[in-house]
Amino acid sequence: MLVYHLPGTFDTRENHLDLLWDAGATGLEERAGSIRAYFDGRTDLPAEVADGEWRQEADQDWLAEFKANLKPVTAGRVTIVPPWLTAEVPAGQLPLIIEPGMAFGTGHHATTRMAVEALSALNLQGQRVLDVGTGSGVLAIAAALLGAQAALGVDIDPQTIPIARENAEINGVPRAVVTFLEGTLGSDLPEHAAPDGIFDVLVANLYAELHDLLAGEYLAHLQPGGSLVLTGILVGKLPLVQDALDREGVTDVLVRQDGEWALVTACAPR
């Protein structure tokens, strides 16, 4: 069994995990402060993840171990589970089924969990929700399950879109309610999601530098008084996001921290 050992954890190298999947990894595991990436054969890896070491190890059923250690994630009124754990969703919780490893956003990372919790705390009945950097579609799908009238997920990575659509189908969310598109905030948005391109809620699990860059664009797509939910923010870079929001005149800014990660909620200026 060929294993690529990469220093770090899923949290510290979150932005590099997709690079390993794209390079052909058949599984990822975090163990003892390092990431173990399983491959069928050696391959050239991007420079961002070239600081690891290839090792040939005795065969083991890593997939069975991975599934055995994976647990449901409760985030507000939603419980995020892989397909094989749906029976473990507590009564009264909304199940959100996501296949791990398909694209970023399984619910097991603090940023995704906090974002779903923040959405769960809002009254989304009849609301229009925009998910920027949708990845697996988990946040847009969560919004739909929580009662949103329409949810739109956009991502610049074309590989995420069919995955997000498949996840929506698995969760029984019709395309009339949740839509996924390759693109950015400047793209043409479907009229059924927001006829005027304006949403009631905008959620983005990106990173601090992008939130700083896109703060004005976020507000251009939000109703006055609309809800802004931003995460993917390392605590050390939180001031960058707070300064950007202050610059744009947002109100009711609240910060929540989970370990080294932060989530910011705010309201668009009225």
Side-chain angles (χ1 to χ4, degrees):
M1 175 174 62
L2 188 60
V3 184
Y4 187 67
H5 289 249
L6 188 67
T9 66
F10 286 164
D11 279 354
T12 61
R13 304 198 69 151
E14 120 182 57
N15 295 329
H16 295 160
L17 301 183
D18 281 347
L19 297 177
L20 294 169
W21 290 116
D22 292 343
T26 58
L28 299 180
E29 179 185 15
E30 181 184 318
R31 189 189 301 178
S34 69
I35 296 170
R36 296 165 57 86
Y38 298 88
F39 286 86
D40 291 330
R42 288 198 180 221
T43 185
D44 291 331
L45 295 172
E48 294 91 335
V49 290
D51 54 319
E53 177 185 1
W54 292 100
R55 298 181 192 174
Q56 191 70 43
E57 300 183 3
D59 288 341
Q60 68 181 63
D61 192 346
W62 67 264
L63 183 57
E65 284 192 25
F66 172 73
K67 288 186 174 183
N69 292 325
L70 203 63
K71 303 299 180 186
V73 174
T74 297
R77 292 179 282 144
V78 175
T79 296
I80 307 167
V81 292
W84 60 88
L85 290 180
T86 54
E88 295 188 19
V89 177
Q93 286 290 104
L94 294 167
L96 201 173
I97 303 167
I98 297 291
E99 181 76 47
M102 294 180 70
F104 178 73
T106 65
H108 291 80
H109 194 276
T111 59
T112 308
R113 185 176 66 254
M114 287 194 293
V116 175
E117 288 171 346
L119 291 173
S120 185
L122 298 172
N123 180 3
L124 296 182
Q125 293 295 324
Q127 300 283 286
R128 296 172 298 179
V129 179
L130 177 59
D131 174 15
V132 182
T134 193
S136 67
V138 61
L139 300 182
I141 297 169
L145 294 175
L146 289 163
Q149 171 186 317
L152 171 64
V154 296
D155 203 299
I156 61 173
D157 183 355
Q159 296 185 52
T160 66
I161 303 305
I163 292 169
R165 289 172 179 163
E166 181 179 342
N167 283 330
E169 185 175 346
I170 290 170
N171 284 277
V173 180
R175 291 194 178 186
V177 176
V178 65
T179 306
F180 295 103
L181 294 176
E182 177 188 353
T184 66
L185 290 175
S187 307
D188 291 333
L189 304 180
E191 289 192 2
H192 76 273
D196 50 5
I198 304 298
F199 294 79
D200 303 291
V201 178
L202 186 149
V203 59
N205 185 359
L206 298 172
Y207 52 91
E209 292 83 356
L210 267 180
H211 293 321
D212 175 41
L213 180 67
L214 295 174
E217 288 278 352
Y218 292 159
L219 296 176
H221 287 280
L222 266 180
Q223 294 275 13
S227 297
L228 188 62
V229 179
L230 305 179
T231 190
I233 306 163
L234 286 166
V235 170
K237 295 185 177 180
L238 182 58
L240 185 65
V241 179
Q242 291 172 311
D243 289 346
L245 297 180
D246 183 61
R247 182 178 70 234
E248 298 295 335
V250 303
T251 60
D252 301 322
V253 178
L254 296 174
V255 176
R256 178 186 167 193
Q257 295 184 17
D258 187 333
E260 63 181 341
W261 298 100
L263 173 137
V264 176
T265 59
C267 291
R270 294 184 183 276

